[in-house]
Amino acid sequence: MMNNIVEIFEKIYCRPMQVHCFAPGRVNLIGEHTDYNGGHVFPCAINLGIECVAAKRNNMKLRFYSTNFADAGVIEASLDALSYDGAWSDYPKSVIHTFRQFGYEIPYGADFVFSGNLPDGAGLSSSAALEVLTGLVLKELFNIPVTGQELAVFGQFAENHFIGVSCGIMDQFASAMGRAGYAILLDTNILDFEYAPVSDDDATLVIVNSNVKHSLASSAYNDRRHECEAALAALKNELKVSSLCALTPAQFEEHRHLITDDICKKRARHAIYENARTIDAAKALKAGDLSRFGTLMNESHISLRDDYEVSCAELDFLAETAWNIKGVYGARMTGGGFGGCTVNLVKNSCVETFMNKISAAYKERFSREAYVFAVKIADGAHRIKA
Ligand code: GLA
């Protein structure tokens, strides 16, 4: 992240900035691909993210610059003609468009500079952070009365309708609503949530980035969603059920014959069991039972690998190798999948050896580097200074 983002702004646009905000990425501890099936998720905001400085203009012009996409230079657009261009600036544009669609007045354009330290395409939600951040900047620049939860909802709406990825609410919610030291147990069906303390006295969250870039926009994510919808439609032939995760695993076993397509049946099984695991995991954490929590993380990975089929050889190797390293309570792929990162819950005294062992094993197996780092659970999006 650039410390001198304010200077960059002033240099590029030759004017002072007005607001400076930050939005974090997230890591999901457990509850994967449940958020568009009415289930629970258990993410937390992390101490990596994106900053933005901005200032209003007195005409309709929008100008965007990112230190992460410096080659693209300053990208211009007009508030009156916000279209999808296939550039990184589609993300902030999508949120501006969404605010206007929801009736919030954005009377003028603005100049923006973004700068982040979240690895791109790594499953740590750089897109959601960018969306939530843009919403927060609009709120601060134009005095728009929106809550953190609304910032999350607008971010998701923008991603669904402007970017075209049918994602759930988890990533934007974690970025907007995160709290230092707490994971968020979110019931995505009714957006009810509770903060669960995650102590770092005993264990550390270690992220291992496979450096295999995923692309959620690739049709696979939307395919999974459609398969879940098909499974739900099949169940609805005989059952009154509003979402897959409204079913318990026992109810699923009783009615699974209604889903005749084997692929859809596997997808539904993942979502329903994963939801149950997530609720159990939150209970285990509350009880201080990290071993149980870790076991549930491992089961989550197996289900994502075998039933949901969103893992890849690199993520499987990283998770399976971690399971056999001393001091690892649990390890799983995190986020949408098809690349990106694993999240590992590691006993504090074993973190250093874990990092060394997993890096060496990955390099030996795939002849490429994994990027391994410990994260802290941090606050959600906030304004940095006036
Ligand atoms: C991506 C999506 C989320 C969620 C996860 C999988 O991160 O943006 O909404 O579906 O994948 O759990």
Side-chain angles (χ1 to χ4, degrees):
M1 189 145 357
M2 312 289 293
N3 293 325
N4 53 353
I5 182 170
V6 176
E7 280 165 37
I8 296 175
F9 181 95
E10 290 172 356
K11 195 161 159 226
I12 291 180
Y13 299 122
C14 302
R15 54 191 298 239
M17 65 98 185
Q18 292 166 345
V19 303
H20 185 180
C21 297
F22 172 81
R26 67 96 189 92
V27 62
N28 188 23
L29 302 181
I30 191 163
E32 218 66 83
H33 291 278
T34 47
D35 65 347
Y36 49 87
N37 286 309
H40 290 74
V41 291
F42 203 31
C44 42
I46 57 175
N47 58 332
L48 296 177
I50 310 177
E51 285 185 31
C52 176
V53 296
K56 285 184 271 207
R57 299 177 54 84
N58 54 12
N59 58 22
M60 302 305 268
K61 196 186 266 190
L62 295 160
R63 293 190 292 185
F64 303 100
Y65 178 80
S66 168
T67 62
N68 302 90
F69 301 96
D71 289 352
V74 174
I75 300 178
E76 294 197 0
S78 165
L79 208 45
D80 290 329
L82 291 168
S83 57
Y84 182 88
D85 304 317
W88 72 269
S89 51
D90 287 332
Y91 288 92
K93 274 161 57 180
S94 70
V95 176
I96 298 169
H97 185 69
T98 300
F99 268 65
R100 298 185 101 203
Q101 265 181 297
F102 278 83
Y104 290 110
E105 204 195 349
I106 298 180
Y108 303 112
D111 293 331
F112 301 84
V113 172
F114 293 90
S115 182
N117 59 2
L118 275 171
D120 191 27
L124 300 177
S125 295
S126 55
S127 317
L130 194 46
E131 290 153 3
V132 168
L133 180 59
T134 306
L136 179 62
V137 167
L138 294 177
K139 171 185 174 165
E140 298 292 331
L141 274 182
F142 299 106
N143 293 315
I144 300 174
V146 282
T147 63
Q149 293 188 53
E150 285 167 330
L151 289 180
V153 170
F154 294 156
Q156 183 202 12
F157 189 92
E159 177 118 9
N160 290 168
H161 299 284
F162 196 94
I163 305 294
V165 178
S166 309
C167 65
I169 188 73
M170 169 170 73
D171 305 347
Q172 291 81 2
F173 201 94
S175 181
M177 300 294 292
R179 185 186 278 186
Y182 293 82
I184 309 172
L185 180 65
L186 171 67
D187 177 346
T188 60
N189 200 25
I190 49 174
L191 290 195
D192 191 22
F193 66 101
E194 111 190 24
Y195 289 110
V198 183
S199 156
D200 53 12
D201 291 349
D202 197 23
T204 300
L205 289 173
V206 181
I207 305 293
V208 182
N209 184 352
S210 67
N211 282 317
V212 175
K213 280 206 180 191
H214 75 159
S215 164
L216 278 187
S218 75
S219 56
Y221 183 91
N222 290 348
D223 287 350
R224 294 298 179 284
R225 193 166 178 153
H226 293 141
E227 287 155 2
C228 287
E229 283 161 6
L232 179 64
L235 289 167
K236 276 184 168 172
N237 283 328
E238 278 189 28
L239 279 184
K240 256 195 146 164
V241 59
S242 56
S243 65
L244 284 181
C245 294
L247 295 180
T248 61
Q251 288 168 324
F252 169 73
E253 295 303 338
E254 195 184 331
H255 298 287
R256 52 183 290 169
H257 61 276
L258 296 172
I259 312 169
T260 48
D261 183 286
D262 284 344
I263 298 275
C264 294
K265 200 182 292 186
K266 287 208 292 185
R267 306 303 189 234
R269 182 166 61 190
H270 165 77
I272 292 163
Y273 277 83
E274 180 77 353
N275 185 45
R277 270 191 291 274
T278 306
I279 297 167
D280 275 7
K283 280 191 197 138
L285 191 68
K286 224 180 229 168
D289 190 347
L290 294 189
S291 301
R292 171 83 186 131
F293 191 88
T295 303
L296 291 162
M297 288 174 80
N298 300 350
E299 285 174 8
S300 166
H301 183 86
I302 292 167
S303 177
L304 288 159
R305 182 190 70 191
D306 299 344
D307 275 353
Y308 220 64
E309 297 178 283
V310 290
S311 189
C312 61
E314 290 84 351
L315 290 176
D316 289 341
F317 178 83
L318 287 173
E320 288 157 20
T321 305
W323 298 341
N324 293 312
I325 297 179
K326 190 170 161 243
V328 175
Y329 288 108
R332 56 182 288 276
M333 54 153 280
T334 185
F338 309 105
C341 299
T342 58
V343 54
N344 305 263
L345 187 64
V346 187
K347 211 176 188 25
N348 287 340
S349 57
C350 300
V351 167
E352 211 182 311
T353 9
F354 168 74
M355 288 179 157
N356 293 336
K357 283 194 171 161
I358 199 95
S359 312
Y362 190 70
K363 187 151 190 206
E364 195 188 323
R365 170 71 179 77
F366 292 103
S367 306
R368 69 156 93 188
E369 301 287 340
Y371 180 39
V372 186
F373 52 99
V375 280
K376 289 227 170 307
I377 303 183
D379 280 331
H382 53 274
R383 187 163 176 167
I384 294 181
K385 54 187 145 172

